Amino acid sequence: MDNTQKRIEDLEQLVLNAPDDTVRKIAQEQLDRVKERQKINVDKDFSGVITAINSLIEKTYNSSNAMSNQQIDEAIAERLKKLKINQANLSSELKELIGQTKTTVIQINEIKVSSSSGTRGRRLEDVLMSDAEAQNNVYLFGEAGTGKTFIAGIIADKLNYKLITLNCNQFTSPLDIIGGQTIEGFKEGRLTQAWGNLDLGLNPCGEPYVGALLLLDELPKIDPNTAGILNDGLAKIKDGVKEICDPKKQVPATIMNGNGELIQKKKIFIMATGNSLLNEANKDYEANFKQDLSLQDRFAGSCYKITYNYKFEYEKMMTNVSTKSLPNVKIDLTFAFNFLSQLRMKIVELELTGVAFVSTRLMIVARDTFVAYIVNRELAPNNIADPKKISEVVMSFMSLFKPDQRDNIKNQLSAEFTEFYNMCAVKEALPLDQLNESTKEQKDLAKIIIETAEANYAQDNAIPL
């Protein structure tokens, strides 16, 4: 009997005869660990390694307790160290399989958390709903086109609050915020309307709204002097019901509108968006003002940096695309996702996002343009004699840059531009039954792009929408 088998039998006896549950639990954990190691075929049969690692992966997925990166690495290393191989010798397919146990799955609107923490991702919607419940002012900042305004609409719908938007810029006036006299009479401001739930009307289902979500869109663009008017409402959002003279007489927090009237607070949730933190000037967004630190403090503890959700863009927008015009046809646009993602990353690297940026919307435009081209090709030939192509979407986008900027981007992505334009021509000529195909190289590149993006925003504490 070898030492391993003897150790297993000793532990099995200890599990059966343990004096208490604590000892039994420790013995069982040790027994499971020894048995896992025994599964390795130590006579250099590599298939034994595959079996052992697959077993580990299955155990990880089926376990209620998530394993950390370190635990997984240690377990795999333990299996490999008895053989004359190491992780560097494993095939790319096996590395990919191992990696699946170490990556946090990202879905739409989920916060990316470090996979090494063993913590599951949390949906951004749940975080914002928690802020609404706690009456926290929320500030979302990040690159333009990442969906910050979009998520405000989602939250408003979930709360059955009317979405009231104050578009902030250097021309935003006190009248826009707290109301004032116009040639048509007194007009209520956005802040006071939301604060008092004034004239909310009915939701799309014909039912009354129960509150208001005030969205301060592009808040950094507001004049700092005008922003001070907002501070009263932002500061009082946490004020509870106060007793006035008679303990039995209670009134909620109030603010004053432009007509000198006190408006009592009702159900309100305040969200703001911007491209950068409020107390910093950002050269990429020249229209922004550096705001007073007190304004940013109004959002303390609920400031979230938002970024693009590459995984969602790829899986939900650019693959398995269908259209009502061709219901039985599926279209794969991995090649377009790869190119536009690399273009986005290069623009960020060159610090040109203040000129133009590859938004999720641009990906949608590229996708829909390609689909429209195929529909015209199949169902209405010559209806549009020379229909727009997906390559022209990119050409139009690149025209937003100055000539020297455009040349710099193209020079640094020369091979990518050439491959993209060539692939456009190929894809546009494919028969319908081949439109949903992409090469292994294209899929592998998409995977690398997503993993790189997720690693970057995890390191940057950013949240993908």
Side-chain angles (χ1 to χ4, degrees), residues 166 172-179 189-192 222 226-227 229-230:
L166 175 65
T172 302
S173 68
L175 186 148
D176 298 316
I177 300 172
I178 59 173
R190 296 287 190 271
L191 171 61
T192 47
I222 197 170
T226 307
I229 300 174
L230 284 170

Side-chain angles (χ1 to χ4, degrees), residues 178-233:
I178 59 173
Q181 292 295 331
T182 70
I183 58 174
E184 298 176 349
F186 179 78
K187 178 183 177 182
E188 201 66 69
R190 296 287 190 271
L191 171 61
T192 47
Q193 180 190 5
W195 188 269
N197 291 181
L198 307 176
D199 301 320
L200 297 184
L202 303 177
N203 64 24
C205 296
E207 299 173 350
Y209 288 105
V210 300
L213 191 155
L214 176 63
L215 175 63
L216 308 175
D217 201 25
E218 302 291 351
L219 184 56
K221 294 182 179 180
I222 197 170
D223 184 284
N225 296 311
T226 307
I229 300 174
L230 284 170
N231 263 341
D232 185 35

Side-chain angles (χ1 to χ4, degrees), residues 117-134:
S117 68
T119 305
R120 298 178 60 187
R122 294 196 308 169
R123 300 177 67 216
L124 177 58
E125 289 180 29
D126 288 343
V127 174
L128 297 179
M129 290 293 287
S130 298
D131 282 319
E133 182 74 19

Side-chain angles (χ1 to χ4, degrees), residues 320-362:
N320 270 332
V321 178
S322 61
T323 174
K324 291 182 179 179
S325 300
L326 298 169
N328 298 321
V329 176
K330 299 291 185 181
I331 300 173
D332 185 288
L333 290 162
T334 298
F335 79 99
F337 167 81
N338 289 345
F339 172 75
L340 291 172
S341 296
Q342 292 176 94
L343 181 58
R344 172 190 286 164
M345 292 176 176
K346 181 57 64 176
I347 291 170
V348 171
E349 177 188 327
L350 296 176
E351 299 182 343
L352 293 175
T353 53
V355 180
F357 48 89
V358 177
S359 64
T360 300
R361 185 176 294 107
L362 180 62

Side-chain angles (χ1 to χ4, degrees), residues 405-429:
Q405 296 170 336
R406 185 164 57 247
D407 291 343
N408 189 20
I409 294 172
K410 288 185 174 181
N411 287 337
Q412 296 200 37
L413 292 177
S414 177
E416 287 80 2
F417 269 92
T418 300
E419 181 180 357
F420 172 71
Y421 287 135
N422 289 340
M423 193 61 210
C424 287
V426 170
K427 199 81 172 180
E428 287 159 357

Side-chain angles (χ1 to χ4, degrees), residues 133-199:
E133 182 74 19
Q135 285 284 278
N136 299 329
N137 300 322
V138 168
Y139 181 60
L140 308 179
F141 67 101
E143 303 101 327
T146 49
K148 299 182 293 294
T149 304
F150 172 75
I151 193 65
I154 291 177
I155 298 302
D157 289 342
K158 290 177 74 70
L159 293 169
N160 189 27
Y161 280 15
K162 181 173 183 178
L163 180 63
I164 299 174
T165 302
L166 175 65
N167 295 306
C168 300
N169 54 61
Q170 66 270 38
F171 302 112
T172 302
S173 68
L175 186 148
D176 298 316
I177 300 172
I178 59 173
Q181 292 295 331
T182 70
I183 58 174
E184 298 176 349
F186 179 78
K187 178 183 177 182
E188 201 66 69
R190 296 287 190 271
L191 171 61
T192 47
Q193 180 190 5
W195 188 269
N197 291 181
L198 307 176
D199 301 320

